[in-house]
Amino acid sequence: MVLAQLGGSISRALQQMSNATIIDEKVLNDCLNEITRALLQADVQFKLVRDMQTNIKKIVNLDDLAAGHNKRKIIQQAIFNELCKILDPGKLAFTLKKGKPSVVMFVGLQGSGKTTRCTKYAYYHQKKGWKPALVCADTFRAGAFDQLKQNATKAKIPFYGRKSSSKCVEVVVIPKSDPVRIAVEGVERFKKENCDLIIVDTSGRHKQEAALFEEMRQVSEATKPDLVIFVMDSSIGQAAFDQAQAFKQSVAVGAVIVTKMDGHAKGGGALSAVAATKSPVIFIGTGEHMDEFEVFDVKPFVSRLLG
Ligand code: GDP
């Protein structure tokens, strides 16, 4: 279910409630059930939806509300606040400082949009006056380096990897496909070159294998990232929570980027990812192009969700 449809269902539920002459327990329950259905269909984790419903019922005590109160508005506000609460882990992502070398490590499953997002993240900061650089420590996926190289070259961002065939001066030949070594050498090189945002792209195998998590852990230990960003494909559905949690248990995830929010994207994954990692969503990916990358803002996102 795309965001617009989800918003439609919720708006409809609220509209039905506002059409009712008297807002009693039954009307409220019907409305909440309709919203629950919409959120579940949008892949918001069942536990989050159930907790939200319980909280709203606690907040909206119909018996206590005086006759003059606009109950529909109060209920609508309670739903809005609860959704905002789920998306707000209560802390900001680590703030990077321009001019001071920072290492940002990207993690996520293969196909989540990690490599695409690394360049967009670099490009976004480059436009704001940062000096970013990209390190390709994804030695598992054939083509990962070429993809990063292509994107980085287009955006004129220096990069480091292991392939020797490129004519680009930024490429360094490394005989072994050792992701930890590549990551460390890339980070050291760009620190010497005074880059202030060194982005490390890591492998993301097709499923949660122990080897992937061990590799990530080693890359993290060796490069000591200031921030680890978990990249999640918004269309992974109800699996979002478990996946995000598995990554969080291996490396210190401090922020989330939710990709593929365009087309068939579902909004629910964002809520699950925040709950599982206790980290904020910082950007959303809305397409493959360089500028299809938006800063995540809780309130507008929820407003859009509610239609
Ligand atoms: P990685 O394996 O995690 O590094 O994923 P990639 O960055 O290679 O992305 C996997 C595929 O998804 C590629 O074909 C990308 O072009 C595509 N992709 C990445 N981000 C988005 C997005 O926000 N929207 C859409 N529609 N496609 C995307």
Side-chain angles (χ1 to χ4, degrees):
M1 175 183 281
V2 295
L3 280 182
Q5 286 170 300
L6 172 67
S9 308
I10 292 179
S11 313
R12 237 183 350 267
L14 290 169
Q15 193 53 46
Q16 270 165 14
M17 186 176 63
S18 76
N19 290 343
T21 335
I22 300 165
I23 297 181
D24 55 14
E25 206 69 35
K26 184 185 177 304
V27 173
L28 174 63
N29 282 339
D30 287 350
C31 174
L32 288 179
N33 287 340
E34 189 63 37
I35 289 167
T36 297
R37 253 194 304 279
L39 291 172
L40 288 175
Q41 276 172 23
D43 296 324
V44 181
Q45 197 205 20
F46 177 71
K47 186 182 173 304
L48 292 177
V49 180
R50 196 192 50 201
D51 291 352
M52 183 185 112
Q53 194 162 12
T54 311
N55 289 346
I56 290 173
K57 280 192 168 175
K58 264 190 226 151
I59 296 161
V60 184
N61 190 339
L62 293 172
D63 296 338
D64 290 351
L65 292 179
H69 271 114
N70 186 337
K71 292 177 185 170
R72 187 182 71 87
K73 250 200 160 136
I74 290 168
I75 293 164
Q76 197 165 353
Q77 191 61 47
I79 293 166
F80 185 86
N81 291 346
E82 282 303 307
L83 288 171
C84 287
K85 225 166 73 187
I86 297 173
L87 281 163
D88 181 2
K91 61 172 185 191
L92 296 172
F94 177 77
T95 314
L96 307 167
K97 288 199 182 77
K98 206 189 280 179
K100 182 181 171 288
S102 294
V103 177
V104 177
M105 180 176 159
F106 275 62
V107 300
L109 288 185
Q110 187 170 312
S112 58
K114 225 170 355 77
T115 305
T116 311
R117 222 55 53 194
C118 281
T119 322
K120 288 187 187 193
Y121 184 79
Y123 183 69
Y124 172 87
H125 284 87
Q126 190 186 47
K127 282 198 297 187
K128 291 187 175 294
W130 293 69
K131 203 181 161 203
L134 292 158
V135 179
C136 178
D138 180 354
T139 55
F140 184 80
R141 178 164 69 88
F145 176 75
D146 284 334
Q147 188 188 344
L148 189 98
K149 184 184 82 180
Q150 200 179 23
N151 294 344
T153 307
K154 222 187 281 174
K156 297 192 173 56
I157 294 165
F159 59 95
Y160 187 92
R162 72 176 177 83
K163 207 171 169 180
S164 58
S165 60
S166 171
K167 290 191 185 79
C168 179
V169 289
E170 303 293 351
V171 178
V172 171
V173 183
I174 293 176
K176 282 186 204 152
S177 62
D178 175 354
V180 179
R181 186 178 156 201
I182 292 169
V184 169
E185 292 192 2
V187 167
E188 279 174 2
R189 173 187 165 154
F190 290 127
K191 274 187 179 169
K192 276 193 203 121
E193 293 181 7
N194 293 323
C195 292
D196 54 7
L197 183 61
I198 305 164
I199 299 158
V200 181
D201 187 16
T202 60
S203 299
R205 294 175 174 89
H206 61 287
K207 55 183 174 13
Q208 299 167 23
E209 328 168 50
L212 162 67
F213 290 119
E214 178 53 23
E215 182 177 308
M216 264 170 19
R217 207 188 50 71
Q218 287 180 15
V219 171
S220 170
E221 214 171 87
T223 58
K224 306 211 170 359
D226 299 277
L227 177 64
V228 178
I229 300 178
F230 170 60
V231 179
M232 193 198 78
D233 179 340
S234 62
S235 65
I236 60 170
Q238 289 286 342
F241 188 89
D242 291 345
Q243 250 178 40
Q245 197 171 46
F247 276 88
K248 175 78 176 182
Q249 280 162 358
S250 300
V251 281
V253 172
V256 176
I257 292 180
V258 182
T259 65
K260 308 189 188 178
M261 293 290 281
D262 51 312
H264 306 290
K266 300 176 185 184
L271 284 77
S272 302
V274 172
T277 62
K278 303 195 172 37
S279 305
V281 180
I282 51 171
F283 288 100
I284 54 171
T286 50
E288 299 176 47
H289 298 293
M290 206 58 90
D291 52 356
E292 287 168 327
F293 189 57
E294 295 172 16
V295 173
F296 181 80
D297 203 351
V298 174
K299 284 186 177 167
F301 180 86
V302 173
S303 296
R304 210 167 89 186
L305 205 70
L306 292 173

